[in-house]
Amino acid sequence: MRTHYPFDNDYSDSDDDFDDPPVDFSPPLSVSSYTDEESMRSASPVPSVFSFSHSARAQAVRQEFGRAINNYSEVYKLPADDEELDRQGKFMWRREYNNIDTTFQANLRHVWILVAAVVVDRALDTARDFPHCQVVAVDLVPMQCPTMPSNCRSEVDDINLGLEHFYGDFNVVRASLISSGIKDFHNLVNQMTHCLRPGGLLILIEWGFDAYGPGHERLHAPTDEIDPPWLPRWLSFVKGAIKTSGGDVDASDKIWSWISEHPLLEDPVHEEFWMPVSPWCRDDETKVRMANTMKDDLCVFLRSGRPLLLGTGVPEDVVDRVQHNADLELQSAAQEQYLLIRRVCARKKR
């Protein structure tokens, strides 16, 4: 039976079964281990680890279709430029679903927190919320922040190449919205579990690149038709492009089973956040404010998705038409549609 956190959110009790390849839950024979006083930089020869200065940031990106794309992952194809990073950093709801479980906070003393695939604000928020902790932010491009807290540092790493150099080092591991750049999310869940110390907290936040209707039903809009509804149609193109690039677009539907059935994890918690995509809900001021932020975010996301779609072979005239009409659909706020954000947490057994 699923365990749900008692928040005022909508939950799904679907018991869908998924056929996934088996995952080896045992750690490798050689595991790094550090004390709080030692550096978190691994001596492991894993080729995914790089050192960067601020002047080297330009080498971390390349230009594709007029946008800056990261230079170290062939899977993640969304831009890594200021416009996209600003979009990610403006999520008004990021604190709601990214917050570390308050029941766990009292135990956070002189511990390590790993934040995977971040924008600057998420890592900085974590470091400022927990000044007594050490925060390691891992992403595909280096962070640039003139006011970086002393307890936070950034590492450039393609985590598809493995997290073995972090095994046993962290009290909290949090990964937010990374599935589009992950080849094997099931295996990554296992690796993140091994990064935790006994009793540590794993937090995963994902969405499935789908739009939902008034009854929270998934809206199907296949790419062999170029008709409304336009936002679901555009998301179908994005989902197909991510899959073509190697990303795990089904992770959001599966993370609950992966977490709740993992032999090293316990006390799983599952939450769902239904986010209105535009301010059709005009009688609720809170929802309207949230929906306007979501609408603005998606309008920028429409532009950010162009390199991904064009780079995977979608004709430019199709991209232009779907993007333009999806933008108009969002601006009109005429359709009741939602995005679904899932948050799953669990603790590592002692």
Side-chain angles (χ1 to χ4, degrees), residues 280-285 288:
W280 48 263
C281 43
R282 295 177 178 85
D283 58 341
D284 187 318
E285 184 178 343
V288 168

Side-chain angles (χ1 to χ4, degrees), residues 4-11 96 271-274 287:
H4 296 294
Y5 202 80
F7 287 162
D8 293 328
N9 301 309
D10 294 315
Y11 300 108
E96 179 180 7
E271 301 169 77
E272 293 187 349
F273 302 85
W274 294 94
K287 282 188 177 180

Side-chain angles (χ1 to χ4, degrees), residues 206-342:
E206 278 301 334
W207 73 303
F209 300 91
D210 290 302
Y212 295 81
H216 293 173
E217 72 280 6
R218 196 171 309 208
L219 299 176
H220 296 281
T223 58
D224 57 355
E225 302 174 13
I226 309 299
D227 295 303
W230 293 108
L231 178 63
R233 189 81 57 196
W234 185 81
L235 289 172
S236 292
F237 276 102
V238 169
K239 196 169 185 177
I242 291 172
K243 200 166 187 177
T244 298
S245 300
D248 196 338
V249 295
D250 299 320
S252 177
D253 291 330
K254 301 180 180 182
I255 54 174
W256 170 252
S257 61
W258 291 338
I259 294 294
S260 61
E261 297 170 6
H262 197 291
L264 299 182
L265 297 173
E266 61 185 1
D267 301 328
V269 171
H270 175 240
E271 301 169 77
E272 293 187 349
F273 302 85
W274 294 94
M275 313 301 298
V277 303
S278 62
W280 48 263
C281 43
R282 295 177 178 85
D283 58 341
D284 187 318
E285 184 178 343
T286 300
K287 282 188 177 180
V288 168
R289 188 167 57 251
M290 180 186 299
N292 274 315
T293 300
M294 196 73 243
K295 178 200 69 177
D296 294 343
D297 174 88
L298 285 169
C299 288
V300 179
F301 191 38
L302 293 175
R303 297 194 296 271
S304 295
R306 287 185 64 85
L308 171 67
L309 300 185
L310 295 171
T312 51
V314 181
E316 187 169 10
D317 62 320
V318 172
V319 175
D320 289 342
R321 183 180 177 189
V322 177
Q323 177 186 340
H324 175 72
N325 285 289
D327 187 88
L328 293 178
E329 188 176 271
L330 287 168
Q331 298 294 346
S332 71
Q335 299 192 36
E336 181 177 349
Q337 296 178 359
Y338 300 86
L339 299 183
L340 172 59
I341 309 294
R342 289 188 171 98

Side-chain angles (χ1 to χ4, degrees), residues 88 98 113-119 122-123 126 135-140 143 153 155 157-160 163 166 170 172-179 182 185 188 192 195 202-206:
Q88 295 182 29
N98 270 306
I113 303 175
L114 175 65
V115 184
V118 299
V119 293
R122 291 180 195 160
T126 302
V135 177
V136 179
V138 180
D139 204 355
L140 289 168
M143 292 170 54
R153 68 182 181 82
E155 292 193 5
D157 200 347
D158 181 1
I159 60 178
N160 284 301
L163 292 174
F166 283 143
F170 291 93
V172 179
V173 174
R174 186 178 70 198
S176 303
L177 310 178
I178 65 173
S179 62
I182 302 301
F185 206 108
L188 180 63
M192 288 189 288
C195 292
L202 176 63
I203 305 172
L204 301 179
I205 301 101
E206 278 301 334

